[in-house]
Amino acid sequence: MGRESARRAAVGVLATALALGIGHLLAGLVGPTSSPFVSVGNTAIDLAPEPVKRFAIDWFGAADKAVLLGGMAVVVLALAVLAGLLSRRGPAPGALLIGGFGALGVLAALSRPDLGPVGALPALVAAVVGVFGFVLLHGGSAGTAPGRRRFLITGAAVAGGAVLAGLGGALLSARSGAAAAREAIRVRLPTPPPPPPGADFADLGTPAFRTPNAEFYRVDTAFVVPSVDPASWRLRVHGMVERELELSFADLLRRPQVTRPITLTCVSNEVGGPYISTADFTGVPIRSLLDEAGVLPGAEQLFSTSADGYTAGTPLDVLAEPDRHALLAYGMNGEPLPPEHGFPVRMVTSGLYGYVSATKWLVDLEVTTFDRRTYWEERGWAERAPIKTQSRIDRPGPFEKVPAGRFTAAGIAWAQPVGIERVEVRVDGGPWRTAQLSTEVSGDTWRMWRIELDLPPGGHRLECRATDRTGDAQTPRRAPTVPDGATGWHSVFCTAQGAR
Ligand SMILES: Nc1nc2c(c(=O)[nH]1)N[C@H]1C(S)=C(S)[C@@H](COP(=O)(O)O)O[C@H]1N2
Ligand SMILES: [Mo]
């Protein structure tokens, strides 16, 4: 790239950086999700075709947002350079390109369910700053050596301004954020008691019975964690009910408090996958709210909406079951909900995959029929999604080399809400042997298993299968995660080494 081209590319990058910096600064005042980068990121997530989303969840897991952020940064940088390079004669082509993308940013912000028209302001101002900044810098970049020096100084000033504006926006967003409210909040929450002895085989590589909040799996469509202030939080329970309810956070805290250990599971979990965790959730039984509101005949689902516009539908017949544990939770393992797990209030329902039953950053509950379609249903996932009985081998790990002879394999099994009756393991297609189970805490939670094997030297294939408390065995039939959860037996290959 010649010196002139480099300069023009720099003009594109500087104008774009300034635009995004100012947009981020304004978003600090208007609301964190109105930042152009964020609203475009959120729109990209919602518009992404279902297989792309599945790919992102499968391959990047909880890092999927960071990967998207990086990808967007690369695209924006490329466009900014292109805007500069296209503007050989005059600033018009680059200004048009930047203006065009600015307009897309405004449209993205306008389409966000959590943002009103004011939410498009940061993107609008960013677009204007981008276009005018580009034109001005372009004019100033032409000419002779002293002009070049001046350009360097201007460029440094603009870059500095962009960074300062961006940092200012980040600071403002952090201060307005839920994190501060969460620190300040006072909620009576029971300290989780130690799980009963033998509730896990963590020394053998299974997860601990209770998952620490920081290690709890996370799956959601939110590019940045929605920020919900408990002081202004209101929950309406409405639709096909006799009496509409409206609750503040304080109202919720005044209600009888229940704490239950529940194992949450994601429908996107492949056989052997990691999207399963357990916590003590504290909150209010959903059934008590529904009873108070009085569900009208003909109603089918509890349609929940989150602060960022995500929706889910929980079958009312499931929520009406007397033994079903479903909570409006505000506590997790003795702490207020962490921001990433739905602060201040989320749903948790034992026995249903998270996408139909565990709405985070909950703001609205509508009693309705299945005609009302939800975020994931519109993308091809099932209306009803009970958790399928599953088991997983955690030890040995895939292709692990283990000593030949006596070896203890271990893993987990789950069948919420009925619980696990039995886990069996076989080696190299041989006879099934029953594993030893961990102490049962509740049908709502996972159970660990372990079994002592005698492995001759060489390669081996281990398989496991679970049977639930109703006597139903885990099916060997392989099914993909779409539309209502993967099935099949988990198997692991390992190599036993050395003499027995
Ligand atoms: N607001 C909101 N709630 C949501 C989701 C989401 O994308 N947005 N994802 C659901 C899915 S698919 C799952 S599996 C659980 C995961 O909860 P966790 O992230 O606390 O583990 O949250 C559910 N609640
Ligand atoms: Mo999920």
Side-chain angles (χ1 to χ4, degrees):
M1 206 190 300
R3 195 174 273 175
E4 275 313 303
S5 315
R7 215 190 242 211
R8 279 196 297 273
V11 166
V13 173
L14 284 170
T16 307
L18 188 64
L20 287 174
I22 302 264
H24 207 59
L25 180 64
L26 281 177
L29 302 169
V30 172
T33 56
S34 67
S35 179
F37 219 67
V38 175
S39 53
V40 168
N42 273 324
T43 307
I45 291 174
D46 289 354
L47 290 182
E50 165 43 41
V52 173
K53 278 212 244 283
R54 192 144 28 92
F55 172 83
I57 292 178
D58 286 354
W59 283 83
F60 308 126
D64 55 350
K65 274 97 191 172
V67 171
L68 175 65
L69 189 73
M72 283 171 61
V74 170
V75 170
V76 167
L77 191 69
L79 282 169
V81 168
L82 188 68
L85 293 182
L86 284 177
S87 308
R88 271 172 161 280
R89 301 246 169 70
L96 220 63
L97 190 62
I98 291 177
F101 267 86
L104 282 185
V106 174
L107 282 181
L110 282 175
S111 76
R112 297 309 308 156
D114 61 324
L115 297 174
V118 181
L121 205 68
L124 186 67
V125 173
V128 172
V129 168
V131 170
F132 281 93
F134 183 79
V135 171
L136 288 177
L137 284 167
H138 190 275
S141 79
T144 51
R148 189 180 300 153
R149 173 117 158 269
R150 185 141 36 87
F151 175 67
L152 280 179
I153 294 169
T154 320
V158 169
V163 169
L164 279 182
L167 287 178
L171 210 71
L172 284 169
S173 294
R175 293 229 289 170
S176 74
R182 184 172 177 268
E183 292 296 313
I185 211 162
R186 300 197 152 267
V187 187
R188 233 173 352 102
L189 292 167
T191 310
D200 64 49
F201 300 135
D203 55 331
L204 289 174
T206 73
F209 175 74
R210 234 185 254 111
T211 314
N213 287 352
E215 285 158 39
F216 204 97
Y217 86 89
R218 178 184 166 197
V219 171
D220 56 60
T221 61
F223 186 37
V224 294
V225 174
S227 176
V228 180
D229 182 359
S232 54
W233 182 85
R234 294 286 181 283
L235 180 72
R236 252 180 86 207
V237 184
H238 62 110
M240 298 171 69
V241 293
E242 283 162 20
R243 289 165 293 277
E244 229 181 89
L245 305 182
E246 194 181 287
L247 296 168
S248 69
F249 192 64
D251 292 336
L252 204 62
L253 295 188
R254 269 194 291 274
R255 289 178 162 255
Q257 187 186 77
V258 172
T259 297
R260 299 288 319 177
I262 293 178
T263 296
L264 241 58
T265 315
C266 182
V267 72
S268 296
N269 200 41
E270 302 283 355
V271 172
Y275 298 134
I276 176 163
S277 302
T278 301
D280 274 12
F281 288 98
T282 299
V284 170
I286 293 176
R287 201 175 329 109
S288 71
L289 295 175
L290 292 177
D291 287 348
E292 198 172 313
V295 173
L296 293 175
E300 292 167 327
Q301 69 172 336
L302 184 61
F303 188 90
S304 50
T305 305
S306 80
D308 64 346
Y310 170 90
T311 56
T314 315
L316 284 163
D317 52 6
V318 172
L319 292 174
E321 289 171 18
D323 297 330
R324 183 71 65 153
H325 295 116
L327 296 177
L328 283 196
Y330 48 75
M332 182 172 177
N333 286 335
E335 290 175 24
L337 281 180
E340 316 79 64
H341 296 291
F343 181 84
V345 181
R346 75 172 304 169
M347 297 170 63
V348 283
T349 310
S350 170
L352 301 183
Y353 287 119
Y355 83 101
V356 293
S357 73
T359 302
K360 307 191 270 188
W361 314 290
L362 179 73
V363 292
D364 190 87
L365 286 175
E366 183 181 349
V367 175
T368 178
T369 62
F370 280 125
D371 294 343
R372 185 93 197 269
R373 290 169 55 79
T374 65
Y375 186 95
W376 286 113
E377 266 175 74
E378 277 170 358
R379 290 159 176 83
W381 295 76
E383 187 173 273
R384 285 174 178 267
I387 291 174
K388 297 176 179 175
T389 300
Q390 267 293 346
S391 53
R392 183 181 85 187
I393 301 168
D394 289 338
R395 182 178 196 252
F399 306 109
E400 194 177 319
K401 296 190 174 66
V402 303
R406 281 168 179 236
F407 174 80
T408 305
I412 61 177
W414 61 94
Q416 310 95 308
V418 295
I420 289 292
E421 167 99 18
R422 184 167 60 248
V423 172
E424 294 157 293
V425 176
R426 68 175 180 185
V427 179
D428 302 324
W432 289 102
R433 287 182 48 212
T434 301
Q436 182 196 348
L437 293 177
S438 63
T439 309
E440 185 167 39
V441 174
S442 148
D444 296 330
T445 55
W446 54 15
R447 246 178 132 177
M448 321 300 169
W449 58 263
R450 69 174 176 197
I451 188 168
E452 193 170 301
L453 304 171
D454 189 14
L455 297 176
H460 300 290
R461 174 174 185 227
L462 272 58
E463 291 168 289
C464 66
R465 70 174 184 196
T467 302
D468 72 19
R469 284 286 194 200
T470 68
D472 282 346
Q474 178 186 337
T475 171
R477 201 172 44 82
R478 283 252 156 202
T481 56
V482 190
D484 63 357
T487 61
W489 292 336
H490 187 212
S491 62
V492 163
F493 289 88
C494 67
T495 307
Q497 287 181 327
R500 281 217 241 185

PDB file of all heavy atoms in Angstrom, residues 57 217 219 265-269 275 310 353-355 376, ligand 2:
ATOM      1  N   ILE A  57     -22.831 -22.200  19.443  1.00  0.00           N
ATOM      2  CA  ILE A  57     -22.965 -22.749  20.792  1.00  0.00           C
ATOM      3  C   ILE A  57     -22.109 -24.005  20.941  1.00  0.00           C
ATOM      4  O   ILE A  57     -21.411 -24.198  21.926  1.00  0.00           O
ATOM      5  CB  ILE A  57     -24.453 -23.043  21.108  1.00  0.00           C
ATOM      6  CG1 ILE A  57     -25.220 -21.732  21.216  1.00  0.00           C
ATOM      7  CG2 ILE A  57     -24.590 -23.830  22.411  1.00  0.00           C
ATOM      8  CD1 ILE A  57     -26.715 -21.901  21.469  1.00  0.00           C
ATOM      9  N   TYR A 217     -22.745 -23.252  33.913  1.00  0.00           N
ATOM     10  CA  TYR A 217     -22.771 -23.046  32.456  1.00  0.00           C
ATOM     11  C   TYR A 217     -23.659 -21.849  32.121  1.00  0.00           C
ATOM     12  O   TYR A 217     -24.550 -21.490  32.892  1.00  0.00           O
ATOM     13  CB  TYR A 217     -23.242 -24.314  31.736  1.00  0.00           C
ATOM     14  CG  TYR A 217     -24.741 -24.489  31.588  1.00  0.00           C
ATOM     15  CD1 TYR A 217     -25.407 -23.971  30.485  1.00  0.00           C
ATOM     16  CD2 TYR A 217     -25.490 -25.170  32.535  1.00  0.00           C
ATOM     17  CE1 TYR A 217     -26.782 -24.136  30.340  1.00  0.00           C
ATOM     18  CE2 TYR A 217     -26.849 -25.337  32.401  1.00  0.00           C
ATOM     19  CZ  TYR A 217     -27.487 -24.813  31.301  1.00  0.00           C
ATOM     20  OH  TYR A 217     -28.844 -24.957  31.161  1.00  0.00           O
ATOM     21  N   VAL A 219     -25.873 -20.140  28.820  1.00  0.00           N
ATOM     22  CA  VAL A 219     -26.332 -20.124  27.433  1.00  0.00           C
ATOM     23  C   VAL A 219     -27.418 -19.074  27.312  1.00  0.00           C
ATOM     24  O   VAL A 219     -28.425 -19.123  28.021  1.00  0.00           O
ATOM     25  CB  VAL A 219     -26.897 -21.495  26.992  1.00  0.00           C
ATOM     26  CG1 VAL A 219     -27.573 -21.372  25.628  1.00  0.00           C
ATOM     27  CG2 VAL A 219     -25.811 -22.554  26.920  1.00  0.00           C
ATOM     28  N   THR A 265     -30.428 -27.882  32.642  1.00  0.00           N
ATOM     29  CA  THR A 265     -29.859 -28.570  31.485  1.00  0.00           C
ATOM     30  C   THR A 265     -30.263 -27.837  30.222  1.00  0.00           C
ATOM     31  O   THR A 265     -31.401 -27.387  30.099  1.00  0.00           O
ATOM     32  CB  THR A 265     -30.387 -30.020  31.418  1.00  0.00           C
ATOM     33  OG1 THR A 265     -30.335 -30.589  32.722  1.00  0.00           O
ATOM     34  CG2 THR A 265     -29.565 -30.853  30.469  1.00  0.00           C
ATOM     35  N   CYS A 266     -29.342 -27.731  29.273  1.00  0.00           N
ATOM     36  CA  CYS A 266     -29.629 -27.032  28.008  1.00  0.00           C
ATOM     37  C   CYS A 266     -29.943 -28.039  26.920  1.00  0.00           C
ATOM     38  O   CYS A 266     -29.269 -29.062  26.789  1.00  0.00           O
ATOM     39  CB  CYS A 266     -28.438 -26.178  27.585  1.00  0.00           C
ATOM     40  SG  CYS A 266     -28.755 -25.239  26.072  1.00  0.00           S
ATOM     41  N   VAL A 267     -30.945 -27.726  26.110  1.00  0.00           N
ATOM     42  CA  VAL A 267     -31.345 -28.580  25.002  1.00  0.00           C
ATOM     43  C   VAL A 267     -30.223 -28.685  23.962  1.00  0.00           C
ATOM     44  O   VAL A 267     -30.170 -29.645  23.191  1.00  0.00           O
ATOM     45  CB  VAL A 267     -32.651 -28.039  24.365  1.00  0.00           C
ATOM     46  CG1 VAL A 267     -32.392 -26.755  23.588  1.00  0.00           C
ATOM     47  CG2 VAL A 267     -33.318 -29.064  23.478  1.00  0.00           C
ATOM     48  N   SER A 268     -29.320 -27.703  23.951  1.00  0.00           N
ATOM     49  CA  SER A 268     -28.211 -27.720  22.986  1.00  0.00           C
ATOM     50  C   SER A 268     -27.067 -28.617  23.437  1.00  0.00           C
ATOM     51  O   SER A 268     -26.037 -28.690  22.772  1.00  0.00           O
ATOM     52  CB  SER A 268     -27.670 -26.302  22.769  1.00  0.00           C
ATOM     53  OG  SER A 268     -28.650 -25.497  22.182  1.00  0.00           O
ATOM     54  N   ASN A 269     -27.238 -29.270  24.584  1.00  0.00           N
ATOM     55  CA  ASN A 269     -26.182 -30.157  25.082  1.00  0.00           C
ATOM     56  C   ASN A 269     -26.116 -31.420  24.225  1.00  0.00           C
ATOM     57  O   ASN A 269     -27.071 -32.179  24.150  1.00  0.00           O
ATOM     58  CB  ASN A 269     -26.491 -30.522  26.533  1.00  0.00           C
ATOM     59  CG  ASN A 269     -25.278 -31.005  27.280  1.00  0.00           C
ATOM     60  OD1 ASN A 269     -24.189 -30.455  27.119  1.00  0.00           O
ATOM     61  ND2 ASN A 269     -25.449 -32.043  28.076  1.00  0.00           N
ATOM     62  N   TYR A 275     -23.268 -28.680  29.040  1.00  0.00           N
ATOM     63  CA  TYR A 275     -24.251 -27.659  29.445  1.00  0.00           C
ATOM     64  C   TYR A 275     -25.235 -28.176  30.481  1.00  0.00           C
ATOM     65  O   TYR A 275     -26.430 -28.341  30.222  1.00  0.00           O
ATOM     66  CB  TYR A 275     -25.004 -27.124  28.224  1.00  0.00           C
ATOM     67  CG  TYR A 275     -24.092 -26.445  27.246  1.00  0.00           C
ATOM     68  CD1 TYR A 275     -24.169 -26.706  25.891  1.00  0.00           C
ATOM     69  CD2 TYR A 275     -23.125 -25.549  27.699  1.00  0.00           C
ATOM     70  CE1 TYR A 275     -23.316 -26.086  24.999  1.00  0.00           C
ATOM     71  CE2 TYR A 275     -22.266 -24.938  26.819  1.00  0.00           C
ATOM     72  CZ  TYR A 275     -22.367 -25.208  25.472  1.00  0.00           C
ATOM     73  OH  TYR A 275     -21.520 -24.607  24.604  1.00  0.00           O
ATOM     74  N   TYR A 310     -36.133 -11.541  24.746  1.00  0.00           N
ATOM     75  CA  TYR A 310     -36.169 -13.001  24.585  1.00  0.00           C
ATOM     76  C   TYR A 310     -37.478 -13.536  25.167  1.00  0.00           C
ATOM     77  O   TYR A 310     -37.981 -13.012  26.158  1.00  0.00           O
ATOM     78  CB  TYR A 310     -34.972 -13.598  25.312  1.00  0.00           C
ATOM     79  CG  TYR A 310     -34.978 -15.098  25.440  1.00  0.00           C
ATOM     80  CD1 TYR A 310     -34.404 -15.906  24.460  1.00  0.00           C
ATOM     81  CD2 TYR A 310     -35.543 -15.715  26.554  1.00  0.00           C
ATOM     82  CE1 TYR A 310     -34.408 -17.279  24.591  1.00  0.00           C
ATOM     83  CE2 TYR A 310     -35.539 -17.088  26.691  1.00  0.00           C
ATOM     84  CZ  TYR A 310     -34.973 -17.858  25.702  1.00  0.00           C
ATOM     85  OH  TYR A 310     -34.968 -19.224  25.833  1.00  0.00           O
ATOM     86  N   TYR A 353     -36.044 -28.414  29.740  1.00  0.00           N
ATOM     87  CA  TYR A 353     -34.849 -27.736  29.237  1.00  0.00           C
ATOM     88  C   TYR A 353     -34.994 -26.227  29.441  1.00  0.00           C
ATOM     89  O   TYR A 353     -36.113 -25.678  29.425  1.00  0.00           O
ATOM     90  CB  TYR A 353     -34.639 -28.049  27.759  1.00  0.00           C
ATOM     91  CG  TYR A 353     -34.142 -29.462  27.509  1.00  0.00           C
ATOM     92  CD1 TYR A 353     -34.883 -30.364  26.759  1.00  0.00           C
ATOM     93  CD2 TYR A 353     -32.917 -29.888  28.027  1.00  0.00           C
ATOM     94  CE1 TYR A 353     -34.426 -31.662  26.528  1.00  0.00           C
ATOM     95  CE2 TYR A 353     -32.454 -31.184  27.802  1.00  0.00           C
ATOM     96  CZ  TYR A 353     -33.209 -32.067  27.050  1.00  0.00           C
ATOM     97  OH  TYR A 353     -32.752 -33.339  26.838  1.00  0.00           O
ATOM     98  N   GLY A 354     -33.842 -25.567  29.597  1.00  0.00           N
ATOM     99  CA  GLY A 354     -33.831 -24.151  29.963  1.00  0.00           C
ATOM    100  C   GLY A 354     -34.589 -23.253  29.001  1.00  0.00           C
ATOM    101  O   GLY A 354     -35.191 -22.268  29.418  1.00  0.00           O
ATOM    102  N   TYR A 355     -34.584 -23.598  27.711  1.00  0.00           N
ATOM    103  CA  TYR A 355     -35.164 -22.642  26.745  1.00  0.00           C
ATOM    104  C   TYR A 355     -36.680 -22.554  26.848  1.00  0.00           C
ATOM    105  O   TYR A 355     -37.264 -21.614  26.301  1.00  0.00           O
ATOM    106  CB  TYR A 355     -34.731 -22.989  25.310  1.00  0.00           C
ATOM    107  CG  TYR A 355     -35.540 -24.065  24.615  1.00  0.00           C
ATOM    108  CD1 TYR A 355     -36.524 -23.739  23.678  1.00  0.00           C
ATOM    109  CD2 TYR A 355     -35.313 -25.411  24.874  1.00  0.00           C
ATOM    110  CE1 TYR A 355     -37.260 -24.723  23.031  1.00  0.00           C
ATOM    111  CE2 TYR A 355     -36.039 -26.396  24.234  1.00  0.00           C
ATOM    112  CZ  TYR A 355     -37.007 -26.045  23.318  1.00  0.00           C
ATOM    113  OH  TYR A 355     -37.733 -27.022  22.688  1.00  0.00           O
ATOM    114  N   TRP A 376     -37.285 -19.415  20.404  1.00  0.00           N
ATOM    115  CA  TRP A 376     -36.665 -20.613  19.825  1.00  0.00           C
ATOM    116  C   TRP A 376     -37.649 -21.422  18.987  1.00  0.00           C
ATOM    117  O   TRP A 376     -37.243 -22.120  18.063  1.00  0.00           O
ATOM    118  CB  TRP A 376     -36.008 -21.478  20.912  1.00  0.00           C
ATOM    119  CG  TRP A 376     -34.741 -20.865  21.407  1.00  0.00           C
ATOM    120  CD1 TRP A 376     -34.502 -20.358  22.644  1.00  0.00           C
ATOM    121  CD2 TRP A 376     -33.526 -20.667  20.653  1.00  0.00           C
ATOM    122  NE1 TRP A 376     -33.222 -19.854  22.710  1.00  0.00           N
ATOM    123  CE2 TRP A 376     -32.602 -20.029  21.516  1.00  0.00           C
ATOM    124  CE3 TRP A 376     -33.127 -20.964  19.343  1.00  0.00           C
ATOM    125  CZ2 TRP A 376     -31.308 -19.673  21.108  1.00  0.00           C
ATOM    126  CZ3 TRP A 376     -31.840 -20.614  18.944  1.00  0.00           C
ATOM    127  CH2 TRP A 376     -30.947 -19.980  19.819  1.00  0.00           C
TER     128      TRP A 376
HETATM  129 MO    MO B   2     -30.559 -23.944  26.468  1.00  0.00          MO
END
